[in-house]
């Protein structure tokens, strides 16, 4: 498999070293992929997240995977889209970069991401896909352990947007 790949699926089912959660700044769960990850990981994940007392947009925190097949969950609040002139692009890149740094620090080889910020947070999909794939490819050039990153897309439109940024 190429070092960056794009698949359609449910990220809670993916067996990788770390999956990333599109969280909010409280890190205490929510809807969308965050809700799905919390449901699948089990209630002990709340206890682990509580200890962080939140997380700023674009930063990342790591917990165990609890009942998930993944060893770790990396939680990052992506930016809420406010029109694009409020640092959204850089904050989204930070979410990907800081998640990958944390994965690498924990000796993870394989990492899976959902499409951060393009659901409830309304970041334009094509623009987000471009930033995500570029940030991942740049990171892989300097990574020590991470050598395979998978974008796990929940629907056809998201899958097509990320797929088209690969080449
Ligand atoms: N696997 C992979 N992708 C998924 C899954 C899944 N199981 N479920 C949904 N998606 P969103 P955001 C996709 O709204 O925009 C939460 O309430 C979904 O189709 O989950 O970053 C948090 O607590 C979309 O393509 O995240 C925050 O408050 C993508 O995941 C807020 O939503 C992201 O959609 C974060 O908003």
């Amino acid at each position: 498999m190429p070092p960056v790949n794009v698949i359609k699926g449910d990220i809670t089912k993916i067996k990788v070293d770390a999956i990333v959660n599109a969280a909010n700044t409280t890190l205490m769960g929510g809807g969308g992929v965050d809700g799905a990850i919390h449901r699948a990981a089990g209630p002990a994940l709340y206890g682990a997240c509580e200890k962080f007392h939140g997380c700023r947009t674009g930063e990342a925190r790591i917990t165990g995977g609890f009942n998930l097949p993944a060893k770790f969950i990396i939680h990052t609040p992506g930016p809420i889209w406010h029109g694009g002139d409020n640092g959204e692009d850089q904050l989204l890149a930070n979410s990907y970069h800081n998640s990958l740094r944390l994965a690498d620090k924990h000796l993870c080889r394989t990492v899976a991401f959902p499409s951060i910020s393009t659901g409830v947070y309304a970041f334009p999909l094509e623009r987000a896909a471009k930033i995500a794939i570029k940030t991942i490819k740049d990171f892989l050039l300097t990574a020590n352990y991470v050598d395979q990153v998978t974008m796990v897309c929940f629907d056809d439109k998201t899958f097509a947007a990320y797929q088209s940024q690969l080449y």
Side-chain angles (χ1 to χ4, degrees), residues 3-74:
V4 190
N5 49 297
V6 177
I7 63 169
K8 220 183 110 179
D10 175 351
I11 201 163
T12 65
K13 308 266 193 283
I14 308 283
K15 191 173 178 337
V16 283
D17 294 326
I19 66 161
V20 177
N21 180 16
N24 58 56
T25 55
T26 71
L27 298 186
M28 292 313 295
V33 70
D34 193 6
I37 288 172
H38 273 272
R39 276 193 301 278
L45 178 58
Y46 287 102
C49 286
E50 210 171 16
K51 298 196 174 81
F52 296 121
H53 302 290
C55 177
R56 287 199 201 143
T57 301
E59 294 184 2
R61 300 288 183 270
I62 193 165
T63 65
F66 299 96
N67 297 337
L68 293 182
K71 267 186 242 155
F72 296 105
I73 305 168
I74 294 171

Side-chain angles (χ1 to χ4, degrees), residues 9-12 22-24 29-34 36 114-121 152 154-155 158:
D10 175 351
I11 201 163
T12 65
N24 58 56
V33 70
D34 193 6
S115 176
I116 298 170
S117 285
T118 67
V120 173
Y121 282 180
V152 183
F154 209 48
D155 54 60
T158 305

